[in-house]
Amino acid sequence: MTPQQYVQDKAAASGSSFYYAFLFLPPPRRAAITAFYAFCREVDDVVDEVSDPGVAATKLAWWRKEVAEAFAGQAHHPVLQALMPHVADYGIRAEHLSAVIDGCEMDLTQTRYLDDVTLRRYCHLVAGVVGEVAASIFGCEPGRPLSEGTRRYAHTLGRAFQLTNIIRDVGDDARRGRIYLPVSELQRFDVKAHELLKREAPWGYSERFTSLMKFQAERAHRSYDEAFAALPADERRAQRPGLMMAEIYRTLLREIEATGFQVLHQRTALTPLRKLWLAWKTNWRER
């Protein structure tokens, strides 16, 4: 199996909404974003699939070493072998990949977030930096940096995606002992951590929980709106893949809202056909 086949299989197997936006890119950009996304999945899987924190930390340290060696000209893992030919064209730096590892490492050491400020730091590492790299691949001419407006758009949109993920995954995260909803906001809405960790009625679902989740959804919607407002009008066409992902993710958020935030015992998802339709519709609209 070639490195290119490896990253393609990794991206396709994830079932992520991102994958459907990649399909509309020209081959060189599609190859670059597929390799970068596969790297993000590999690192994220270390935290989600390795039960022993010590083993997971060792694996993340191994990835740090792999990234350093890859940028020194010795890429060993197929994901990095597939990614390295594109880093110069799209301004991908070692610190971008290291930031993704830093964010995943936070999941090993931190299971609660005190307030929105600390949550923003996490979102910056695992989503904002990813958004910046993705925007560079989607729309920059090789060797040219992102405009400041597009950079703000990418980071803010990445945060919106992560906030949507947090809302969708409250139950899944609780099963792993993690609560990403800020402690200060749990206290504000009088929702107890043990209610979320129990993940079942009547403890989890309540008017207090619904109010808390509406607050989370409103913040995510504000992030989407702020991102769209930051994107320069003359760069919208180049950033169509990100706008496709935004359409898919925001539709998912609205689906969760429509269910009354039934996220403790189930994971709301859109069908692959619906994701493809939303991506195609957005691609057509932004032409």
Side-chain angles (χ1 to χ4, degrees), residues 148-199:
E148 186 54 37
T150 301
R151 190 183 305 277
R152 288 198 309 274
Y153 148 82
H155 276 265
T156 308
L157 189 60
R159 183 170 74 244
F161 291 163
Q162 192 63 29
L163 292 173
T164 302
N165 284 340
I166 287 170
I167 292 168
R168 178 196 63 193
D169 295 339
V170 170
D172 281 352
D173 290 332
R175 178 169 51 82
R176 298 183 175 98
R178 302 177 194 158
I179 299 176
Y180 291 95
L181 308 177
V183 172
S184 62
E185 293 167 13
L186 294 179
Q187 294 172 340
R188 174 179 172 181
F189 291 95
D190 194 28
V191 173
K192 313 301 183 186
H194 74 83
E195 294 177 331
L196 301 183
L197 295 174
K198 194 172 179 65
R199 297 190 303 116

Side-chain angles (χ1 to χ4, degrees), residues 105-114 118-119 178 180:
E105 198 166 50
M106 287 181 71
D107 283 328
L108 299 180
T109 59
Q110 189 167 346
T111 59
R112 303 288 189 276
Y113 291 83
L114 181 61
T118 54
L119 183 62
R178 302 177 194 158
Y180 291 95

Side-chain angles (χ1 to χ4, degrees), residues 45-65:
D45 286 348
V46 169
V47 176
D48 286 344
E49 297 179 1
V50 178
S51 57
D52 186 323
V55 173
T58 300
K59 287 194 171 188
L60 290 180
W62 181 86
W63 273 108
R64 288 188 191 282
K65 179 173 175 288

Side-chain angles (χ1 to χ4, degrees), residues 11 20 46 69 76 87 94 110 129 138 150 168 198 256 276:
Y20 295 88
V46 169
E69 291 183 355
H76 305 296
V87 297
Q110 189 167 346
V129 172
F138 293 156
T150 301
R168 178 196 63 193
K198 194 172 179 65
I256 294 170
L276 185 60

